[in-house]
Amino acid sequence: MPRTVRTIVENWPVSEVIDAEQAIYPRLEEAFDALKWWLARVPESGQIIDDCNWLYVQAGDRRVNISPLVALYTFNHQEV
């Protein structure tokens, strides 16, 4: 059975930080897109930290100057 693909709803400050940090981490947008792709499909892969909040840590790669990303999120059947 195919997985549900949820809509990612970003908080606007997150987008601003990603845009601002691109000068330091040129591939940050790609890494962030990968994180969103993953969480839209498998949000339960994170760690639940309380009644409704989840935490997911995506490793970075220092060799190619990609920062690790940490996402704090909630999700339902339609949105992350």
Side-chain angles (χ1 to χ4, degrees):
M1 175 161 49
R3 287 196 179 273
T4 299
V5 178
R6 294 164 176 87
T7 301
I8 299 292
V9 180
E10 288 179 47
N11 287 342
W12 65 267
V14 172
S15 299
E16 288 184 344
V17 170
I18 296 297
D19 291 344
E21 296 295 316
Q22 294 248 18
I24 299 168
Y25 303 104
R27 298 191 63 199
L28 182 58
E29 187 172 6
E30 291 174 55
F32 187 52
D33 286 344
L35 174 64
K36 292 186 294 185
W37 185 94
W38 180 255
L39 292 179
R41 287 156 178 79
V42 196
E44 63 277 359
S45 63
Q47 180 179 3
I48 192 160
I49 58 174
D50 61 26
D51 291 341
C52 63
N53 291 296
W54 292 71
L55 178 72
Y56 187 86
V57 178
Q58 178 173 288
D61 189 338
R62 285 181 173 232
R63 295 172 296 147
V64 290
N65 200 25
I66 297 175
S67 174
L69 296 173
V70 178
L72 178 63
Y73 61 97
T74 62
F75 70 94
N76 59 38
H77 187 67
Q78 298 169 335
E79 296 179 336
V80 177

